[in-house]
Amino acid sequence: MTSAGIDEVRTWILERHPERDSVTPDENLIENRLVDSLSFVELVYAIESASGVEIDFDNIDIQDFQTLSAIEKAFFVTA
């Protein structure tokens, strides 16, 4: 089961790639060019909007943004 927030992020990605109808949880968003250097900042803002958490650009770990699973674990799963 995924959180509503990660579904918002998935929708954000799919809106930018109308040729796609899905993104799997473990699909590498960067390697598969679903997120590039120009859209990365927009992705961060989409995550902030969906999670309600401000992301510190000075302490970004790119590993947290490579897959939807990683994004969900880093920004949507509460302990």
Side-chain angles (χ1 to χ4, degrees), residues 27-73:
E27 184 172 359
N28 191 308
L29 304 174
I30 297 166
E31 286 179 4
N32 290 307
R33 300 180 189 269
L34 296 173
V35 175
D36 60 20
S37 59
L38 296 176
S39 62
F40 183 79
V41 172
E42 291 179 32
L43 172 65
V44 171
Y45 290 137
I47 294 168
E48 286 181 334
S49 175
S51 69
V53 174
E54 186 174 338
I55 297 170
D56 181 0
F57 277 93
D58 292 331
N59 294 310
I60 283 181
D61 182 351
I62 196 67
Q63 299 295 321
D64 291 338
F65 298 89
Q66 290 195 346
T67 67
L68 288 174
S69 292
I71 292 169
E72 185 169 37
K73 182 179 177 185

